[in-house]
């Protein structure tokens, strides 16, 4: 069977690519349903892009690679597509856009666009041996127990990364990239909760606070959630992309406040108030009790010396914590690292050394912040490759 373009992966990037790749395009996926990560994202409402998409909010060894694709297909372009399909949406926080209804609306939209473009979709299909000869790609695909040898002018790697393996994530894109001479950058889980020694925050499980969580490279002011395994919440997921094993993270429990100044003022006006009572006006009582097990919070405000106030304030603003690790790919929203962008053309996503080979989406070493950025990269990189194969 001969096709012009074969896309491996019917996720966000693969479907978007299919919508722009022109007729005679075949999309193949081992899953029984397309766009599964889209379906579960955003609590089932899909955080499909971010109003504040900017190149600085993406990570990768080449900090400039993603600029071209993002500039040529922007968040506004995708919003326009959503509007044209009559999908109602709203902004939640920090520019994050969600469907008013179900995330499956986005999947249906992409399928409609791909069908309109003339693409075919094979689901529940297993990819076997993939090769390249005489300027074309060959792929053995087994569907309904029957093997089919597909020959394609273009091959698009859109099978994603390693995150959430229970949904079928694998390293197929990486294996094929290596096979065809593309190098990889180190991969690891990103946008993932931290783990700590067993029981470290057991008594705080379920407690959430607004905090600044960071390290020497970055910090994020968002919610932080204590869990039975460690720390989660948007601020923690964000900084996990910038964290390396063995490093501390620093937590400011009162971002934007001056704890020392506030405690001195409270000492003057309410000196008979217990220190823990005063802190519980700004932090959850369970968290204050936990902190009291690490620093001296006994007595009343009037008992506090300036030096002791400074010590308490330092502990609240600069709480150093060292995770033992993360929850890994099991719960990671994305994979950091992947196919080295030095081997790809930033305008077309095609390999420099092998005409017709493309890599898009999460498989590539481009990772966005939490909040719709990774979907926008899927849309932008998918469009870049789709337009390239359509015009080739």
């Amino acid at each position: 069977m001969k096709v012009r373009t074969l896309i491996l992966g019917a996720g966000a990037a693969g479907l978007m690519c299919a919508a722009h790749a022109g007729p005679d395009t075949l999309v193949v996926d081992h899953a029984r349903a397309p766009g599964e990560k889209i379906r579960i994202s955003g609590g089932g409402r899909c955080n499909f892009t971010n109003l504040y998409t900017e190149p600085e909010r993406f990570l990768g060894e080449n900090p400039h690679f993603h600029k071209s694709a993002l500039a040529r297909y922007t968040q506004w372009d995708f919003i326009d597509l959503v509007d044209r399909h009559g999908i109602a949406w709203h902004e939640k926080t920090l520019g994050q856009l969600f469907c008013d209804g179900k995330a499956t609306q986005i999947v249906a939209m992409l399928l409609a666009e791909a069908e309109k473009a003339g693409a075919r979709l094979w689901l529940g299909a297993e990819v076997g041996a993939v090769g390249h000869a005489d300027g074309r790609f060959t792929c053995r695909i087994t569907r309904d127990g029957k093997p089919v040898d597909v020959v394609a002018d273009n091959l698009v790697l859109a099978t994603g990364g390693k995150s959430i393996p229970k949904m079928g994530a694998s390293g197929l894109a990486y294996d094929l990239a290596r096979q065809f001479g593309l190098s990889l950058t180190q991969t690891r889980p990103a946008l993932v909760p931290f783990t700590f020694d067993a029981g470290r925050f057991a008594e705080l499980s379920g407690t959430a606070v607004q905090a600044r969580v960071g390290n020497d490279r970055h910090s994020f002011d968002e919610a932080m959630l204590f869990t039975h395994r460690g720390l989660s919440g948007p601020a923690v997921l964000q900084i996990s992309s910038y964290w390396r094993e063995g490093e501390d993270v620093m937590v400011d429990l009162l971002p934007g406040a001056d704890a020392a100044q506030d405690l001195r003022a409270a000492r003057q006006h309410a000196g008979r108030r217990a220190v823990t009572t005063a802190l519980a006006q700004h932090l959850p009582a369970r968290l204050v009790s936990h902190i009291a097990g690490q620093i001296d919070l006994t007595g009343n405000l009037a008992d506090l010396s300036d030096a002791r106030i400074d010590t308490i304030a330092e502990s609240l603003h600069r709480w150093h914590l060292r995770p033992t690790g993360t929850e890994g790919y099991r719960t990671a929203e994305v994979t950091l690292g992947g196919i080295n962008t030095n081997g790809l053309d930033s305008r077309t996503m095609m390999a420099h050394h092998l005409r017709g080979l493309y890599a898009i989406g999460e498989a590539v070493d481009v990772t966005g912040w939490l909040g719709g950025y990774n979907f926008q990269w899927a849309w932008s990189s998918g469009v870049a490759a789709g337009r390239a194969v359509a015009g080739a």
Side-chain angles (χ1 to χ4, degrees):
M1 174 181 173
K2 293 182 179 180
V3 297
R4 179 172 174 78
T5 301
L6 174 62
I7 301 173
L8 301 183
L15 291 176
M16 196 65 172
C17 182
H20 292 81
D24 201 20
T25 295
L26 176 64
V27 186
V28 175
D29 201 299
H30 69 276
R32 292 293 174 181
E36 282 294 88
K37 273 196 175 181
I38 299 174
R39 182 183 61 81
I40 69 167
S41 69
R45 293 188 184 273
C46 188
N47 179 193
F48 57 81
T49 193
N50 196 292
L51 293 176
Y52 306 122
T53 298
E54 299 173 354
E56 294 73 23
R57 299 183 176 191
F58 292 82
L59 295 81
E61 286 196 2
N62 182 340
H64 305 291
F65 177 84
H66 51 275
K67 293 180 179 179
S68 177
L70 290 172
R72 288 184 296 116
Y73 190 87
T74 70
Q75 64 270 40
W76 311 112
D77 294 315
F78 193 77
I79 292 169
D80 179 64
L81 178 63
V82 170
D83 287 343
R84 282 191 276 117
H85 280 259
I87 300 173
W89 54 269
H90 61 278
E91 180 185 354
K92 195 171 181 180
T93 56
L94 302 174
Q96 302 170 19
L97 302 191
F98 290 78
C99 298
D100 287 357
K102 294 183 178 179
T104 49
Q105 292 176 289
I106 298 295
V107 179
M109 177 191 74
L110 294 171
L111 290 173
E113 289 290 311
E115 183 180 5
K116 184 173 69 175
R120 287 171 291 174
L121 178 61
W122 286 4
L123 297 172
E126 295 297 326
V127 175
V130 181
H132 182 265
D134 301 324
R136 289 184 174 179
F137 297 88
T138 59
C139 182
R140 171 66 62 90
I141 299 171
T142 302
R143 185 187 184 210
D144 297 328
K146 300 176 181 178
V148 180
D149 289 319
V150 177
V151 179
D153 297 323
N154 304 292
L155 177 65
V156 182
L157 306 181
T159 57
K162 299 178 180 178
S163 58
I164 318 184
K166 70 178 181 180
M167 295 184 64
S170 70
L172 177 60
Y174 307 143
D175 295 338
L176 293 176
R178 276 191 292 259
Q179 176 184 328
F180 290 121
L182 288 170
S183 64
L184 303 177
T185 64
Q186 183 179 5
T187 58
R188 59 185 179 85
L191 301 182
V192 62
F194 287 135
T195 57
F196 287 79
D197 291 332
R200 173 69 188 273
F201 299 119
E203 77 276 16
L204 293 174
S205 182
T207 301
V209 293
Q210 287 297 124
R212 178 175 298 144
V213 184
N215 55 24
D216 293 338
R217 295 181 291 282
H218 224 295
S219 65
F220 294 91
D221 288 27
E222 292 191 64
M224 181 178 76
L225 174 69
F226 294 93
T227 73
H228 68 286
R229 291 174 57 85
L231 293 175
S232 188
V236 170
L237 299 186
Q238 294 278 39
I239 201 60
S240 72
S241 296
Y242 294 85
W243 178 79
R244 298 292 184 274
E245 191 169 352
E247 292 182 341
D248 285 357
V249 291
M250 188 171 65
V251 177
D252 184 348
L253 292 170
L254 296 169
D258 186 331
Q261 179 177 309
D262 292 346
L263 284 171
R264 287 187 174 92
R267 180 180 61 183
Q268 182 175 349
H269 298 294
R272 297 178 64 180
R273 182 176 298 164
V275 176
T276 53
T277 301
L279 291 179
Q281 291 183 311
H282 305 283
L283 295 169
R286 285 200 295 170
L287 178 55
V288 173
S289 296
H290 180 85
I291 294 170
Q294 302 176 52
I295 59 174
D296 183 10
L297 299 180
T298 58
N300 298 328
L301 290 169
D303 301 326
L304 297 179
S305 65
D306 283 347
R308 192 171 159 206
I309 284 177
D310 289 339
T311 298
I312 293 172
E314 176 74 7
S315 298
L316 297 176
H317 285 305
R318 298 179 64 83
W319 188 14
H320 285 264
L321 297 170
R322 180 166 293 184
T324 55
T326 73
E327 292 192 4
Y329 290 115
R330 181 179 64 86
T331 61
E333 296 206 9
V334 292
T335 302
L336 189 72
I339 298 172
N340 195 325
T341 56
N342 289 337
L344 304 174
D345 185 308
S346 64
R347 288 184 58 84
T348 65
M349 308 301 295
M350 187 174 76
H352 290 304
H353 74 288
L354 184 55
R355 183 171 184 81
L357 178 65
Y358 299 79
I360 58 176
E362 188 184 346
V364 175
D365 179 24
V366 175
T367 304
W369 285 6
L370 182 73
Y373 295 97
N374 288 292
F375 273 132
Q376 186 57 48
W377 170 244
W379 317 139
S380 297
S381 61
V383 170
R387 288 174 176 171
V389 299

